[in-house]
Amino acid sequence: MLQVKNLTLTHRKDLTTLIENLSFTLNPGDRAALIGEEGNGKSTLLKLLYDPALVEDYIDHTGEIVGGGCRKGYLAQELSPETLARPVWEFCQEHPAFQDADPKALAQACAQVGLDPALFWDDRALATLSGGERVKLRLGLLLLEEPEVLLLDEPSNDLDLQTLEWLEEFLLAQKVPVLYISHDEDLLEKTANLVIHLERLYRRTTPRCTVERAGYRDYVDRRGAAFAHQEQVARKEREEYDAKMKKFRQIRDKVDRAQAHVSGYNSAGVPNPSEGRLLKKKMHAVLSMGRRFEREKENMTALPEWEEAILTAFDPERSALPAGKVVLRLDLPELTAGEQVLSRDVRLWVTGPEKVGIVGANGAGKSTLLKLVAGELLPRADIRASYMAQDYSDQLLGSQTPVDLLAPSGHKDDITRARNLLGNMKYKTEEMEHPAADLSGGQRAKLLFLAMVLGGSNVLILDEPTRNFSPLSAPVIRGVLSEFPGCIISVSHDRRYLEEVCGRVLELTAEGLRET
């Protein structure tokens, strides 16, 4: 069991409170989905639970972690470039549990993750393995440690559709508690039985934590229904209050006018001080009514607050493409990576505002193909193409800030526009000045989308466009892309993206692209 009591995390650099008074308990059989928008501290929380030393340079925390000494298996979201360049066997040798494991234990771990035991001694660089192979290898090494809790940061990233289905079965089979982050809505719906939701409200200044023992879909539906009911009640109360206040102001103004014209004499010219006293008494009653209404206002149902996912839409005029426009005519006898032939007779023809999704097994060459497509389209003068690589570091220099990226000219008007756009996306002023390398993957993805919007792109080349967006913001991203009037050529394993955005889905095989 792992228990967290009143945990608060504060960023040292700008004193931003990421998480406040979070409490939850993980019991055997719990599959706890940690969800929230980009930059809300999800990965930081996992690191803290695994080893506080991983975050001590930039995070202060208070609260209590009970059971923190139990054996924890931690799967980091990313491996460093230095680690990826090392041979697989060398990476495995660094794990004491691997060195101590006997053949039976190795075989059991491999059986649990569906891995060929020979991979442990492979001399290929870790980077050359498919995304699925790397995840299975790392999970197999974790299982050798016999963890009492599993902490998994984006295990579903970079997995093909078949491996995603395997991961769902793996999570469902675990007896120990699992706390995991994933952006795959289907995986969350099929596996989670506990939801921990981290939010930052009021322009990302006020943290809120929600913990609910429920499946992911039940949680989202109940949350949406509760907010809708709360909003309905709150707006009705405000309408009734406004009607009362309108009537109150009419009565008050009427009495006020009568007081202004009272002379203290009746029509016969005889003194009549009682009329003034009656009006004064009536005004006192009216003002008392007004104070009662103000007290009612203080007790009204609050309008619901939630962290919305906002993405600026593309300009339909600038981003439109005519139906007959030839976007791409690509015919490749061979698709290669180095000396390895990945596929043969690859033909990709795209016309007008088509939205194409490319799928395939890990290692099939999808990203390699997309880079070739980008190389063909980015220099073209008759279209405005933008490319979003899977590795954002290729496009976001570490020293660049969000403002630098969106206003490269440095002109005052461009900087103001960039800051306004970032503000609409709920970036805090401090985050606008953070180096892009320090932002979360989702925040960097939003930056690239904004750059595409500002550039008036009408052709988008997207490698896993939804992989770093939270499951709550992914529907917004899909909505924006489905309404995009230009052309999209993309690689994705997001089942909902393929269904809702792509009009044509192609599978990359060793024999070329095939319609699915």
Side-chain angles (χ1 to χ4, degrees):
M1 183 184 79
L2 181 66
Q3 187 175 18
V4 170
K5 295 182 179 180
N6 301 318
L7 187 64
T8 295
L9 274 61
T10 304
H11 205 292
R12 287 185 179 177
K13 183 174 182 179
D14 53 22
L15 301 182
T16 298
T17 301
L18 297 176
I19 299 172
E20 189 170 42
N21 292 329
L22 172 62
S23 298
F24 64 88
T25 301
L26 294 180
N27 295 307
D30 282 345
R31 296 179 298 277
L34 185 58
I35 66 172
E37 292 303 313
E38 302 77 28
N40 282 7
K42 302 185 298 295
S43 294
T44 298
L45 175 61
L46 286 191
K47 291 177 183 177
L48 174 68
L49 294 178
Y50 176 64
D51 181 2
L54 294 177
V55 300
E56 64 183 4
D57 289 343
Y58 65 97
I59 289 291
D60 288 322
H61 71 278
T62 60
E64 187 177 1
I65 302 173
V66 180
C70 68
R71 289 191 307 277
K72 294 181 285 288
Y74 170 60
L75 184 78
Q77 184 178 145
E78 297 176 345
L79 296 175
S80 69
E82 295 77 17
T83 299
L84 289 170
R86 302 172 68 180
V88 173
W89 65 266
E90 186 176 298
F91 173 75
C92 295
Q93 288 291 336
E94 291 182 347
H95 292 71
F98 175 77
Q99 296 182 18
D100 298 338
D102 57 35
K104 182 179 178 180
L106 288 173
Q108 288 176 340
C110 288
Q112 289 186 66
V113 297
L115 193 68
D116 182 352
L119 186 62
F120 285 128
W121 289 275
D122 202 305
D123 60 2
R124 287 178 295 166
L126 200 60
T128 64
L129 301 184
S130 70
E133 287 176 320
R134 280 201 298 272
V135 167
K136 289 182 176 183
L137 177 71
R138 295 167 67 198
L139 285 175
L141 292 170
L142 290 185
L143 294 179
L144 289 174
E145 300 172 7
E146 299 182 352
E148 298 169 284
V149 176
L150 282 173
L151 307 172
L152 310 179
D153 194 349
E154 290 292 353
S156 55
N157 263 6
D158 305 327
L159 300 186
D160 58 30
L161 298 179
Q162 183 178 358
T163 312
L164 277 171
E165 293 173 355
W166 166 84
L167 180 61
E168 291 167 1
E169 296 175 1
F170 172 83
L171 291 173
L172 290 170
Q174 295 309 303
K175 301 287 193 296
V176 301
V178 184
L179 176 61
Y180 64 103
I181 303 169
S182 177
H183 295 157
D184 190 289
E185 293 163 78
D186 284 328
L187 181 138
L188 291 171
E189 289 185 10
K190 293 175 182 177
T191 60
N193 56 17
L194 173 64
V195 175
I196 302 171
H197 188 181
L198 306 181
E199 297 177 273
R200 291 169 68 193
L201 310 176
Y202 305 106
R203 296 190 69 85
R204 297 176 60 79
T205 60
T206 305
R208 178 171 71 188
C209 308
T210 305
V211 179
E212 188 168 327
R213 286 199 168 274
Y216 175 74
R217 179 49 50 192
D218 287 343
Y219 169 73
V220 171
D221 289 346
R222 284 208 293 267
R223 179 176 181 265
F227 281 173
H229 176 70
Q230 182 181 343
E231 183 172 12
Q232 182 181 20
V233 170
R235 294 198 182 283
K236 184 178 180 181
E237 289 178 356
R238 279 155 179 76
E239 289 173 3
E240 293 174 349
Y241 171 79
D242 290 342
K244 287 179 182 179
M245 289 302 294
K246 182 179 179 181
K247 186 175 182 180
F248 160 74
R249 284 190 290 269
Q250 290 173 344
I251 296 172
R252 183 195 61 193
D253 292 346
K254 183 177 180 181
V255 175
D256 197 40
R257 285 194 299 272
Q259 282 185 319
H261 291 90
V262 68
S263 63
Y265 295 87
N266 62 21
S267 58
V270 177
N272 185 16
S274 63
E275 183 178 359
R277 287 196 298 269
L278 286 172
L279 286 173
K280 186 175 182 180
K281 185 176 181 181
K282 190 169 185 179
M283 178 57 81
H284 179 75
V286 170
L287 294 177
S288 178
M289 180 193 304
R291 288 191 293 270
R292 187 174 74 251
F293 290 162
E294 287 298 323
R295 288 194 297 271
E296 289 179 5
K297 181 181 180 180
E298 293 175 1
N299 295 322
M300 280 195 298
T301 302
L303 285 165
E305 281 287 337
W306 65 89
E307 190 174 26
E308 295 178 285
I310 299 175
L311 186 68
T312 302
F314 290 86
D315 184 330
E317 293 186 5
R318 296 186 70 197
S319 298
L321 275 178
K325 176 69 176 177
V326 174
V327 175
L328 182 66
R329 291 288 185 270
L330 184 65
D331 291 286
L332 290 175
E334 291 183 342
L335 176 65
T336 61
E339 297 182 356
Q340 182 183 6
V341 177
L342 302 173
S343 182
R344 300 181 188 277
D345 299 322
V346 178
R347 182 186 185 191
L348 181 57
W349 288 20
V350 183
T351 303
E354 280 192 283
K355 295 181 175 68
V356 179
I358 300 172
V359 300
N362 288 129
K366 302 182 296 299
S367 293
T368 301
L369 175 61
L370 211 61
K371 287 179 182 178
L372 290 176
V373 171
E376 291 274 337
L377 300 186
L378 290 176
R380 291 253 299 268
D382 59 323
I383 58 175
R384 291 184 300 277
S386 293
Y387 174 44
M388 181 179 181
Q390 192 176 126
D391 184 357
Y392 303 147
S393 62
D394 293 345
Q395 297 166 280
L396 296 175
L397 299 177
S399 59
Q400 280 185 311
T401 69
V403 174
D404 293 334
L405 179 75
L406 300 182
S409 68
H411 295 158
K412 183 178 179 180
D413 290 347
D414 291 343
I415 291 173
T416 299
R417 186 184 182 198
R419 286 186 173 279
N420 288 338
L421 277 173
L422 290 166
N424 291 338
M425 298 280 285
K426 298 191 175 180
Y427 276 78
K428 295 174 62 181
T429 302
E430 309 90 84
E431 291 171 331
M432 297 181 194
E433 302 299 335
H434 280 184
D438 292 347
L439 299 174
S440 70
Q443 287 174 308
R444 284 180 279 168
K446 281 184 178 179
L447 283 179
L448 292 174
F449 268 104
L450 283 176
M452 292 178 185
V453 171
L454 289 173
S457 306
N458 54 19
V459 176
L460 306 182
I461 308 157
L462 309 175
D463 198 346
E464 295 287 359
T466 60
R467 70 191 289 264
N468 279 308
F469 288 103
S470 81
L472 295 172
S473 60
V476 177
I477 306 303
R478 294 197 299 268
V480 170
L481 292 178
S482 66
E483 295 174 4
F484 177 67
C487 173
I488 298 177
I489 304 171
S490 57
V491 167
S492 181
H493 297 138
D494 183 336
R495 291 162 278 191
R496 300 199 181 188
Y497 169 84
L498 295 169
E499 179 182 344
E500 297 175 17
V501 176
C502 300
R504 188 155 60 109
V505 178
L506 307 173
E507 182 182 5
L508 181 60
T509 70
E511 292 77 37
L513 287 165
R514 294 178 177 177
E515 298 275 352
T516 63

